[in-house]
Amino acid sequence: MRPVAITSLANIIGLIPIMTATGTGADVTQRIAAPALGGMLTVLILSLLVFPVIYSLVLQFQERFRYP
């Protein structure tokens, strides 16, 4: 989980200056950076919160029906 978190956070930190830029061509780069930033946030939330919960629920389900 640590490599995913570090990679996502590094990408997010790298995209913040692009999102806050105001110079020439900033409108074009912001349109490119916005979905990338959203995707990185989504991956971070999914990999650190949602997927472990789903995995534990599946294991509990399997364990419940394995031994009657």
Side-chain angles (χ1 to χ4, degrees):
M1 293 171 96
R2 188 180 305 168
V4 173
I6 291 171
T7 303
S8 296
L9 288 174
N11 284 329
I12 290 168
I13 291 169
L15 288 170
I16 289 173
I18 296 172
M19 290 297 297
T20 59
T22 58
T24 306
D27 55 339
V28 175
T29 57
Q30 287 173 352
R31 290 182 194 155
I32 296 170
L37 185 63
M40 285 293 119
L41 287 171
T42 303
V43 164
L44 186 62
I45 291 169
L46 283 175
S47 65
L48 295 181
L49 298 175
V50 177
F51 291 152
V53 170
I54 292 172
Y55 182 73
S56 67
L57 289 174
V58 168
L59 285 180
Q60 288 176 1
F61 181 77
Q62 286 178 345
E63 216 170 273
R64 182 176 296 157
F65 289 107
R66 182 179 301 167
Y67 302 108

